Amino acid sequence: MVKLGQQFGLHPLAVENIMDDATSQDMMEQIDGYALVMYRTTTDMTTETAFSIVVGSGWILLFHTSAAQMHVDRVLDRLQEHSNELLGSCFVVYALIYEITDWLTMTTIQIKHDVVQIDNIVMTQVPEEHTSMLQHMGLLGWRTLGIQRLQLGKPDVVRRVAHVLGSSDELEHHFRDLAALGSLHAV
């Protein structure tokens, strides 16, 4: 990783941030001709993981854990749909951020749906059956808090990415819509 950082002229602190998956916040920094975007997600609702996206002039580097490959695969499928278009690195960043934000939003909606179903079941059970349902509700509450924590900084990061990387009015408009989506669907 250090050699790769040297090859692309990455600051040692940027390389350190990329290698430290324990980075606990989303962020976007401009550093010496490139931008570093750290965007956190989860794939199993129990383990957080960071996407590190480094965007330079005409190039992009993406670092993530193998657990987060599902997001990359979805973005690659989306890019295949636009294979006849000339897409810049800013569009790739947008697609990655959109995929992660959309996945977190859909996960939040699914958790809300599960909670309503469990509430309905608990109301029809006899008291001896409540324990397992209450344990499941506790797990869903824990997942909800985790998703909420992941969503907190996202709108600000998306707005900053749009401002710094927005290469066209249309793309900047999409980033603004994405920031609004992240704000509206916070748990």
Side-chain angles (χ1 to χ4, degrees):
M1 182 62 206
V2 172
K3 287 185 180 183
L4 187 62
Q6 291 170 345
Q7 179 73 26
F8 282 90
L10 305 182
H11 191 279
L13 290 176
V15 172
E16 186 177 317
N17 280 339
I18 292 167
M19 292 175 42
D20 181 15
D21 194 46
T23 301
S24 62
Q25 65 181 9
D26 298 317
M27 66 177 203
M28 192 281 186
E29 294 182 11
Q30 281 185 280
I31 310 167
D32 299 331
Y34 62 91
L36 170 63
V37 180
M38 303 289 287
Y39 210 67
R40 301 205 48 82
T41 188
T42 181
T43 54
D44 59 8
M45 294 195 296
T46 59
T47 307
E48 293 181 18
T49 187
F51 268 83
S52 301
I53 308 166
V54 185
V55 185
S57 179
W59 55 270
I60 183 170
L61 301 174
L62 174 63
F63 302 92
H64 60 86
T65 63
S66 60
Q69 184 64 38
M70 67 178 225
H71 294 300
V72 175
D73 291 342
R74 289 180 185 160
V75 169
L76 290 173
D77 290 344
R78 187 173 179 191
L79 293 175
Q80 287 292 329
E81 295 171 9
H82 298 279
S83 62
N84 59 345
E85 300 174 37
L86 182 59
L87 303 173
S89 55
C90 189
F91 182 82
V92 175
V93 173
Y94 167 76
L96 285 164
I97 289 175
Y98 181 89
E99 160 59 28
I100 293 168
T101 303
D102 186 55
W103 191 87
L104 290 172
T105 300
M106 296 311 294
T107 301
T108 301
I109 291 168
Q110 181 60 48
I111 290 171
K112 288 177 182 179
H113 176 73
D114 290 350
V115 168
V116 168
Q117 284 186 321
I118 290 171
D119 277 347
N120 291 334
I121 291 169
V122 168
M123 295 303 169
T124 62
Q125 289 182 329
V126 294
E128 295 80 32
E129 298 173 321
H130 286 186
T131 302
S132 66
M133 282 295 136
L134 291 174
Q135 287 174 338
H136 192 65
M137 286 178 70
L139 177 62
L140 289 173
W142 180 76
R143 289 178 176 168
T144 301
L145 291 174
I147 296 291
Q148 180 181 22
R149 192 169 63 76
L150 283 171
Q151 288 179 327
L152 288 176
K154 295 206 176 335
D156 292 333
V157 171
V158 171
R159 282 196 262 313
R160 182 145 163 72
V161 168
H163 177 72
V164 171
L165 298 180
S167 58
S168 69
D169 288 340
E170 181 181 344
L171 196 53
E172 191 168 340
H173 171 74
H174 289 305
F175 272 117
R176 276 194 302 257
D177 287 348
L178 185 57
L181 176 69
S183 297
L184 292 174
H185 291 289
V187 177

Short mmCIF file of all heavy atoms in Angstrom, two decimals, residues 138-169:
data_model
loop_
_atom_site.label_atom_id
_atom_site.label_comp_id
_atom_site.label_asym_id
_atom_site.label_seq_id
_atom_site.Cartn_x
_atom_site.Cartn_y
_atom_site.Cartn_z
N GLY A 138 -34.98 -6.41 20.06
CA GLY A 138 -33.76 -5.77 20.56
C GLY A 138 -32.66 -5.78 19.51
O GLY A 138 -31.95 -4.78 19.33
N LEU A 139 -32.51 -6.89 18.79
CA LEU A 139 -31.51 -6.98 17.72
C LEU A 139 -31.82 -5.98 16.61
O LEU A 139 -30.93 -5.29 16.11
CB LEU A 139 -31.48 -8.40 17.16
CG LEU A 139 -30.53 -8.64 15.99
CD1 LEU A 139 -29.08 -8.38 16.40
CD2 LEU A 139 -30.69 -10.06 15.46
N LEU A 140 -33.09 -5.87 16.24
CA LEU A 140 -33.47 -4.89 15.21
C LEU A 140 -33.21 -3.46 15.68
O LEU A 140 -32.78 -2.62 14.90
CB LEU A 140 -34.93 -5.06 14.82
CG LEU A 140 -35.26 -6.33 14.01
CD1 LEU A 140 -36.75 -6.48 13.83
CD2 LEU A 140 -34.54 -6.33 12.68
N GLY A 141 -33.46 -3.20 16.97
CA GLY A 141 -33.15 -1.88 17.51
C GLY A 141 -31.67 -1.58 17.44
O GLY A 141 -31.25 -0.47 17.07
N TRP A 142 -30.84 -2.57 17.74
CA TRP A 142 -29.38 -2.42 17.67
C TRP A 142 -28.95 -2.15 16.24
O TRP A 142 -28.13 -1.28 15.97
CB TRP A 142 -28.73 -3.69 18.23
CG TRP A 142 -27.25 -3.68 18.23
CD1 TRP A 142 -26.43 -3.02 19.10
CD2 TRP A 142 -26.40 -4.37 17.32
NE1 TRP A 142 -25.13 -3.26 18.78
CE2 TRP A 142 -25.07 -4.09 17.70
CE3 TRP A 142 -26.63 -5.20 16.23
CZ2 TRP A 142 -23.99 -4.61 17.02
CZ3 TRP A 142 -25.54 -5.72 15.55
CH2 TRP A 142 -24.24 -5.42 15.94
N ARG A 143 -29.54 -2.87 15.29
CA ARG A 143 -29.21 -2.66 13.87
C ARG A 143 -29.64 -1.26 13.42
O ARG A 143 -28.94 -0.60 12.67
CB ARG A 143 -29.88 -3.72 13.01
CG ARG A 143 -29.28 -5.09 13.16
CD ARG A 143 -30.02 -6.10 12.34
NE ARG A 143 -29.38 -7.40 12.42
CZ ARG A 143 -29.94 -8.52 11.99
NH1 ARG A 143 -31.13 -8.49 11.44
NH2 ARG A 143 -29.30 -9.66 12.09
N THR A 144 -30.81 -0.84 13.89
CA THR A 144 -31.32 0.47 13.52
C THR A 144 -30.37 1.57 14.00
O THR A 144 -30.05 2.51 13.26
CB THR A 144 -32.73 0.70 14.11
OG1 THR A 144 -33.59 -0.32 13.59
CG2 THR A 144 -33.27 2.07 13.75
N LEU A 145 -29.90 1.45 15.23
CA LEU A 145 -28.96 2.44 15.75
C LEU A 145 -27.66 2.44 14.95
O LEU A 145 -27.08 3.51 14.69
CB LEU A 145 -28.68 2.19 17.23
CG LEU A 145 -29.84 2.45 18.17
CD1 LEU A 145 -29.48 2.00 19.59
CD2 LEU A 145 -30.24 3.90 18.16
N GLY A 146 -27.20 1.27 14.54
CA GLY A 146 -25.99 1.19 13.72
C GLY A 146 -26.16 1.85 12.37
O GLY A 146 -25.30 2.60 11.91
N ILE A 147 -27.29 1.60 11.73
CA ILE A 147 -27.58 2.23 10.43
C ILE A 147 -27.70 3.74 10.60
O ILE A 147 -27.17 4.52 9.80
CB ILE A 147 -28.87 1.65 9.81
CG1 ILE A 147 -28.71 0.17 9.49
CG2 ILE A 147 -29.29 2.44 8.58
CD1 ILE A 147 -27.75 -0.15 8.37
N GLN A 148 -28.35 4.17 11.67
CA GLN A 148 -28.51 5.60 11.91
C GLN A 148 -27.14 6.26 12.09
O GLN A 148 -26.88 7.31 11.52
CB GLN A 148 -29.36 5.85 13.15
CG GLN A 148 -29.54 7.32 13.44
CD GLN A 148 -30.37 7.56 14.70
OE1 GLN A 148 -30.47 6.69 15.55
NE2 GLN A 148 -30.94 8.74 14.80
N ARG A 149 -26.25 5.62 12.83
CA ARG A 149 -24.91 6.18 13.03
C ARG A 149 -24.16 6.27 11.71
O ARG A 149 -23.46 7.24 11.44
CB ARG A 149 -24.13 5.33 14.04
CG ARG A 149 -22.86 5.98 14.52
CD ARG A 149 -22.25 5.25 15.69
NE ARG A 149 -21.83 3.91 15.40
CZ ARG A 149 -20.75 3.58 14.72
NH1 ARG A 149 -19.99 4.52 14.22
NH2 ARG A 149 -20.43 2.33 14.51
N LEU A 150 -24.34 5.27 10.84
CA LEU A 150 -23.68 5.30 9.53
C LEU A 150 -24.22 6.43 8.65
O LEU A 150 -23.51 6.97 7.82
CB LEU A 150 -23.87 3.96 8.81
CG LEU A 150 -22.99 2.83 9.29
CD1 LEU A 150 -23.43 1.52 8.65
CD2 LEU A 150 -21.53 3.10 8.98
N GLN A 151 -25.47 6.80 8.80
CA GLN A 151 -26.07 7.80 7.94
C GLN A 151 -25.81 9.24 8.39
O GLN A 151 -25.99 10.16 7.60
CB GLN A 151 -27.59 7.57 7.85
CG GLN A 151 -27.94 6.35 7.05
CD GLN A 151 -29.43 6.12 6.98
OE1 GLN A 151 -30.16 6.42 7.91
NE2 GLN A 151 -29.89 5.58 5.86
N LEU A 152 -25.38 9.44 9.62
CA LEU A 152 -25.30 10.79 10.16
C LEU A 152 -24.45 11.76 9.35
O LEU A 152 -24.88 12.86 9.06
CB LEU A 152 -24.80 10.75 11.61
CG LEU A 152 -25.80 10.21 12.62
CD1 LEU A 152 -25.16 10.12 14.01
CD2 LEU A 152 -27.06 11.04 12.66
N GLY A 153 -23.26 11.41 8.96
CA GLY A 153 -22.39 12.36 8.27
C GLY A 153 -22.49 12.34 6.76
O GLY A 153 -21.87 13.16 6.08
N LYS A 154 -23.26 11.44 6.22
CA LYS A 154 -23.28 11.27 4.77
C LYS A 154 -23.75 12.48 3.99
O LYS A 154 -23.13 12.84 3.00
CB LYS A 154 -24.09 10.03 4.42
CG LYS A 154 -23.41 8.78 4.97
CD LYS A 154 -23.73 7.57 4.21
CE LYS A 154 -23.00 6.35 4.66
NZ LYS A 154 -21.74 6.45 5.34
N PRO A 155 -24.85 13.15 4.37
CA PRO A 155 -25.27 14.31 3.57
C PRO A 155 -24.18 15.38 3.44
O PRO A 155 -23.99 15.94 2.36
CB PRO A 155 -26.49 14.84 4.32
CG PRO A 155 -27.05 13.64 5.00
CD PRO A 155 -25.83 12.85 5.41
N ASP A 156 -23.45 15.65 4.51
CA ASP A 156 -22.38 16.65 4.45
C ASP A 156 -21.26 16.22 3.52
O ASP A 156 -20.73 17.03 2.75
CB ASP A 156 -21.82 16.92 5.85
CG ASP A 156 -22.83 17.61 6.75
OD1 ASP A 156 -23.71 18.33 6.23
OD2 ASP A 156 -22.73 17.44 7.98
N VAL A 157 -20.88 14.93 3.58
CA VAL A 157 -19.83 14.44 2.69
C VAL A 157 -20.28 14.52 1.24
O VAL A 157 -19.53 14.96 0.37
CB VAL A 157 -19.44 12.99 3.07
CG1 VAL A 157 -18.51 12.39 2.02
CG2 VAL A 157 -18.77 12.96 4.43
N VAL A 158 -21.52 14.13 0.97
CA VAL A 158 -22.03 14.17 -0.41
C VAL A 158 -22.05 15.60 -0.92
O VAL A 158 -21.65 15.87 -2.06
CB VAL A 158 -23.43 13.52 -0.50
CG1 VAL A 158 -24.05 13.75 -1.86
CG2 VAL A 158 -23.33 12.03 -0.20
N ARG A 159 -22.49 16.55 -0.10
CA ARG A 159 -22.48 17.96 -0.53
C ARG A 159 -21.06 18.43 -0.84
O ARG A 159 -20.84 19.13 -1.82
CB ARG A 159 -23.11 18.84 0.54
CG ARG A 159 -24.63 18.78 0.57
CD ARG A 159 -25.26 19.91 1.36
NE ARG A 159 -25.68 19.73 2.71
CZ ARG A 159 -26.40 18.74 3.23
NH1 ARG A 159 -26.75 17.73 2.49
NH2 ARG A 159 -26.77 18.73 4.49
N ARG A 160 -20.11 18.03 -0.01
CA ARG A 160 -18.72 18.44 -0.23
C ARG A 160 -18.16 17.81 -1.50
O ARG A 160 -17.48 18.47 -2.28
CB ARG A 160 -17.88 18.07 0.98
CG ARG A 160 -16.45 18.51 0.88
CD ARG A 160 -15.88 18.92 2.22
NE ARG A 160 -14.43 18.95 2.21
CZ ARG A 160 -13.70 19.85 1.60
NH1 ARG A 160 -14.29 20.82 0.92
NH2 ARG A 160 -12.39 19.81 1.66
N VAL A 161 -18.46 16.53 -1.71
CA VAL A 161 -18.01 15.86 -2.94
C VAL A 161 -18.62 16.55 -4.15
O VAL A 161 -17.93 16.81 -5.14
CB VAL A 161 -18.37 14.36 -2.91
CG1 VAL A 161 -18.17 13.72 -4.27
CG2 VAL A 161 -17.55 13.63 -1.86
N ALA A 162 -19.90 16.90 -4.08
CA ALA A 162 -20.55 17.58 -5.20
C ALA A 162 -19.88 18.91 -5.49
O ALA A 162 -19.67 19.27 -6.65
CB ALA A 162 -22.03 17.80 -4.88
N HIS A 163 -19.54 19.64 -4.45
CA HIS A 163 -18.91 20.95 -4.63
C HIS A 163 -17.52 20.81 -5.24
O HIS A 163 -17.16 21.55 -6.15
CB HIS A 163 -18.84 21.67 -3.28
CG HIS A 163 -18.16 22.99 -3.36
ND1 HIS A 163 -18.74 24.10 -3.96
CD2 HIS A 163 -16.93 23.39 -2.93
CE1 HIS A 163 -17.90 25.11 -3.89
NE2 HIS A 163 -16.80 24.71 -3.28
N VAL A 164 -16.76 19.85 -4.75
CA VAL A 164 -15.36 19.72 -5.18
C VAL A 164 -15.24 18.98 -6.51
O VAL A 164 -14.49 19.38 -7.38
CB VAL A 164 -14.52 19.01 -4.08
CG1 VAL A 164 -13.13 18.68 -4.59
CG2 VAL A 164 -14.46 19.89 -2.85
N LEU A 165 -16.01 17.89 -6.66
CA LEU A 165 -15.83 17.04 -7.83
C LEU A 165 -16.90 17.24 -8.90
O LEU A 165 -16.77 16.71 -10.00
CB LEU A 165 -15.84 15.57 -7.43
CG LEU A 165 -14.73 15.11 -6.49
CD1 LEU A 165 -14.89 13.63 -6.18
CD2 LEU A 165 -13.36 15.39 -7.07
N GLY A 166 -17.97 17.96 -8.58
CA GLY A 166 -19.06 18.13 -9.54
C GLY A 166 -18.55 18.74 -10.83
O GLY A 166 -18.31 19.92 -10.91
N SER A 167 -18.38 17.88 -11.84
CA SER A 167 -17.78 18.35 -13.10
C SER A 167 -18.82 18.91 -14.06
O SER A 167 -18.46 19.49 -15.07
CB SER A 167 -17.03 17.19 -13.76
OG SER A 167 -17.91 16.11 -13.99
N SER A 168 -20.08 18.72 -13.74
CA SER A 168 -21.12 19.28 -14.60
C SER A 168 -22.31 19.67 -13.73
O SER A 168 -22.48 19.16 -12.64
CB SER A 168 -21.55 18.26 -15.65
OG SER A 168 -22.26 17.20 -15.03
N ASP A 169 -23.13 20.56 -14.24
CA ASP A 169 -24.32 20.98 -13.49
C ASP A 169 -25.24 19.79 -13.23
O ASP A 169 -25.80 19.66 -12.15
CB ASP A 169 -25.08 22.07 -14.25
CG ASP A 169 -24.34 23.39 -14.23
OD1 ASP A 169 -23.48 23.58 -13.35
OD2 ASP A 169 -24.63 24.23 -15.11
#
